Amino acid sequence: MATVVSRLLEEHDLIRRFSSVLEWLSIRLGSGAGIDEDFAQALLSMLSFVEGCHHAKEEQVLFPALANVAGASRLVDDAVADHREFSSLASRIRDSISSGDLRTASDACSLASSLLKRHISWEEAGLFAMAEASLPDEVKEDVSRRLAEYGGCSAEAASRDLDVLYKAMGGD
C-alpha cells in the first residue's frame, strides 16, 4: 500500500546505500588511495541528489504540510538542521577531493555517512510516521502528487550513479 511518503522512503533506500559508499570511501581516502574521474562524477551526482532533490523535496513539500500538526515544528527544525549539516559536509567532501586533501575528505565522508544513517532512521520513525498518522487525507494526496511531480531530479539517475559507485567498490 502506498503511503504519503512512499517516494521519500524509496529515496531513503538509495541514500542508505550511498551512506555505505561514503563509509567505504572514507576508509579508501584515509589510506591515501584516490578515486578515478567516473567515481568522482557519480559521487558528486549523489551528493547533489541528496541535497538538491531529496532534502529539497522534504523541505519544500512535506515539511510545509506538517506546519499545522502539533509537535511537528521542533521535528522539522531538527530535520532541517541535519540537512544543513549534511550540506556542509558535502561541501567539505567536494572541496577536499578537488584540492587533493584526502584526510579531510576521508573525515567528511565518515561524518556524512554516520549522519545520513542516523538521520533517515530518525526521520522515518518521527516525521514520516507523524505525516502518515496526522495529515488529513486531502493533504496526503496533495503531498503525494507534489512529490511525484517534483522536477529536476531523478531517483532512477541516482540509482545508476550508485551502480557506478558499487561497481568501482567491487573492483570491476
Side-chain angles (χ1 to χ4, degrees), residues 29-91:
L29 296 173
S31 73
I35 54 175
D36 68 23
E37 186 61 32
D38 289 340
F39 190 97
Q41 286 303 316
L43 173 68
L44 295 176
S45 291
M46 282 304 302
L47 291 170
S48 294
F49 171 78
V50 173
E51 291 179 288
C53 181
H54 180 75
H55 289 170
K57 283 181 185 179
E58 290 177 341
E59 292 179 17
Q60 295 172 18
V61 179
L62 179 62
F63 296 173
L66 291 166
N68 295 321
V69 174
S73 178
R74 184 185 59 77
L75 295 177
V76 167
D77 290 346
D78 290 347
V80 170
D82 280 354
H83 292 179
R84 297 300 164 261
E85 183 178 350
F86 178 80
S87 290
S88 176
L89 290 168
S91 291

Side-chain angles (χ1 to χ4, degrees), residues 92-107:
R92 281 178 51 199
I93 293 167
R94 287 183 194 100
D95 293 347
S96 56
I97 286 176
S98 176
S99 70
D101 182 355
L102 300 184
R103 171 53 43 204
T104 298
S106 172
D107 292 345

Side-chain angles (χ1 to χ4, degrees), residues 109-120:
C109 286
S110 178
L111 292 169
S113 174
S114 295
L115 172 66
L116 288 174
K117 288 175 186 177
R118 178 193 54 77
H119 175 77
I120 58 180

